[in-house]
Amino acid sequence: MSALHSQSLVIDGLIISKWDRSVFEDMRKGGISAANCTVSVWEGFQATVDNIATMKQAIRDNSDILTLIRTSDDIIQAKKDNKTGIILGFQNAAAFEDNLGYIEAFADMGVRVVQLCYNTQNLIGTGCYERDGGLSGYGHEVVAEMNRVGILVDLSHVGPKTSEETILASKKPVTYSHCLPMGLKEHPRNKTDEQLKFIADHGGFVGVTMFPPFLRRGTDATVVDYVEALDYIGDIVGWDNVGVGTDFTQGYDRPFFDWITHDKGRHRRLTDFGTVQNPEGMRMIGDWPNLTAAMEAAGWSTDKIQKTIGGNWLRTFKTVWGA
């Protein structure tokens, strides 16, 4: 691990790995100060509360290396204490069901990031794999309530029209926490140059993923290809508005991917990712320092690196969370 990486605040905008001690130890090995950790995708209110309770128990059981994040100051403290801060996040707002009161309840539990839709239609809006009808009336209320209680609105898997209407409706910055550019690879989950510029022009933030099906070279990609994608997006949105959201799925096998790619109703298949193999050099969460090293090798300045691997996320969280 380079001195720059070990000295820097490192924030991963999205990890959805199988939560156990081995993953948490790898997060520490990778020098991660904090990560947005998914605790809900398809689950409703009760099942999500159960997931949160399980994660909080895991944080207590692994308190030598983990801590719960509620404020941006907690992230700074986690770095000082040589721990990884767990930010509770959802990849779907299904857990809100049709009750606005649940949003504040989840905020009180510590939830700090929620993606509005996961690939498909829900009560709020439309995901990226369906015809996009835009943000619903209820969706407008959800965005306003998330703004009020300080939960960051995530649009990574959300359709273009719903995303645009959310960006315009939100009074606080919103994010694509884990996306890649359409300019490097055509894929429904990737964002066009225009979409990337639009969110940045309206005060939003972009986290860049390394999920192989969305990368230009797919399973042949290396950490250098990941840096290429970061460079591409940073040049569009500006270097104060870009960060890392790896989307690590460590510990999961094929049944997990079958589960997350289903649709509502009779659970038709939305997409098939094929073989999921992370870029060479970033196979495991513990390899995170290799990304910083690849940025250094590409000639990035210290300031540019530190903002991208953590500083920009911290500022965005502080703006949205209010502390």
Side-chain angles (χ1 to χ4, degrees), residues 158-213:
V158 177
K161 186 175 181 182
T162 300
S163 294
E164 179 180 344
E165 292 180 0
T166 300
I167 291 164
L168 294 174
S170 182
K171 299 296 192 291
K172 290 185 177 181
V174 302
T175 186
Y176 296 130
S177 71
H178 57 297
C179 74
L180 279 165
M182 190 83 78
L184 291 180
K185 185 172 183 178
E186 287 275 339
H187 195 285
R189 264 282 281 114
N190 290 350
K191 309 299 181 184
T192 65
D193 291 3
E194 291 75 21
Q195 289 171 308
L196 293 167
K197 190 172 187 306
F198 189 81
I199 194 172
D201 286 348
H202 291 80
F205 187 85
V206 180
V208 183
T209 184
M210 59 167 198
F211 195 61

Side-chain angles (χ1 to χ4, degrees), residues 185 210-222 225 273-280 283:
K185 185 172 183 178
M210 59 167 198
F211 195 61
F214 313 149
L215 281 168
R216 181 174 61 85
R217 295 204 302 138
T219 55
D220 293 326
T222 70
D225 295 287
F273 291 142
T275 301
V276 176
Q277 176 178 272
N278 290 335
E280 183 181 344
R283 297 276 199 249

Side-chain angles (χ1 to χ4, degrees), residues 116-122 125-133 157-162 188:
L116 295 187
C117 313
Y118 191 79
N119 293 340
T120 186
Q121 181 85 41
N122 63 18
T126 311
C128 60
Y129 289 108
E130 282 196 281
R131 185 178 61 192
D132 192 347
H157 288 247
V158 177
K161 186 175 181 182
T162 300

Side-chain angles (χ1 to χ4, degrees), residues 6-320:
S6 61
Q7 293 165 8
S8 300
L9 193 74
V10 177
I11 299 175
D12 196 320
L14 197 287
I15 297 180
I16 185 175
S17 296
K18 190 172 183 179
W19 307 119
D20 60 23
R21 177 75 186 189
S22 66
V23 165
F24 299 141
E25 287 177 342
D26 227 29
M27 291 167 81
R28 287 308 318 131
K29 179 183 176 184
I32 297 175
S33 311
N36 169 25
C37 297
T38 300
V39 293
S40 185
V41 181
W42 295 113
E43 294 90 345
F45 177 81
Q46 184 59 62
T48 297
V49 172
D50 292 344
N51 288 349
I52 291 170
T54 299
M55 177 61 98
K56 287 185 173 180
Q57 182 66 55
I59 294 170
R60 290 192 295 273
D61 290 345
N62 297 276
S63 60
D64 58 320
I65 55 175
L66 300 181
T67 186
L68 178 66
I69 298 300
R70 290 181 178 272
T71 69
S72 57
D73 285 343
D74 290 341
I75 298 176
I76 296 170
Q77 190 62 48
K79 172 65 177 176
K80 290 178 181 176
D81 294 341
N82 196 33
K83 294 183 179 183
T84 292
I86 303 297
I87 302 166
L88 300 179
F90 300 174
Q91 286 209 55
N92 194 352
F96 293 165
E97 298 182 358
D98 60 353
N99 191 329
L100 284 174
Y102 288 171
I103 299 173
E104 184 171 24
F106 279 125
D108 289 346
M109 292 178 213
V111 175
R112 292 294 177 264
V113 185
V114 172
Q115 185 168 257
L116 295 187
C117 313
Y118 191 79
N119 293 340
T120 186
Q121 181 85 41
N122 63 18
L123 295 175
I124 293 167
T126 311
C128 60
Y129 289 108
E130 282 196 281
R131 185 178 61 192
D132 192 347
L135 191 66
S136 70
Y138 176 60
H140 279 273
E141 293 181 311
V142 166
V143 171
E145 182 66 359
M146 288 175 67
N147 284 171
R148 185 184 76 83
V149 302
I151 296 177
L152 176 62
V153 175
D154 187 356
L155 301 169
S156 303
H157 288 247
V158 177
K161 186 175 181 182
T162 300
S163 294
E164 179 180 344
E165 292 180 0
T166 300
I167 291 164
L168 294 174
S170 182
K171 299 296 192 291
K172 290 185 177 181
V174 302
T175 186
Y176 296 130
S177 71
H178 57 297
C179 74
L180 279 165
M182 190 83 78
L184 291 180
K185 185 172 183 178
E186 287 275 339
H187 195 285
R189 264 282 281 114
N190 290 350
K191 309 299 181 184
T192 65
D193 291 3
E194 291 75 21
Q195 289 171 308
L196 293 167
K197 190 172 187 306
F198 189 81
I199 194 172
D201 286 348
H202 291 80
F205 187 85
V206 180
V208 183
T209 184
M210 59 167 198
F211 195 61
F214 313 149
L215 281 168
R216 181 174 61 85
R217 295 204 302 138
T219 55
D220 293 326
T222 70
V223 66
V224 174
D225 295 287
Y226 190 16
V227 172
E228 174 193 45
L230 281 156
D231 244 332
Y232 185 99
I233 289 180
D235 285 343
I236 292 172
V237 304
W239 289 100
D240 290 328
N241 305 309
V242 65
V244 174
T246 58
D247 204 4
F248 267 112
T249 55
Q250 194 162 310
Y252 283 120
D253 53 16
R254 184 59 189 241
F256 167 78
F257 292 104
D258 289 343
W259 175 71
I260 63 169
T261 56
H262 78 246
D263 195 2
K264 56 200 171 296
R266 301 297 291 183
H267 290 186
R268 70 184 177 89
R269 191 75 170 273
L270 282 169
T271 187
D272 186 352
F273 291 142
T275 301
V276 176
Q277 176 178 272
N278 290 335
E280 183 181 344
M282 286 288 284
R283 297 276 199 249
M284 306 287 284
I285 299 172
D287 295 331
W288 228 104
N290 293 342
L291 178 58
T292 303
M295 292 173 177
E296 291 180 272
W300 288 26
S301 69
T302 297
D303 180 62
K304 180 176 171 180
I305 292 171
Q306 290 186 315
K307 288 194 297 186
T308 303
I309 66 174
N312 290 338
W313 267 125
L314 184 70
R315 187 195 70 251
T316 300
F317 288 150
K318 188 170 186 177
T319 300
V320 174

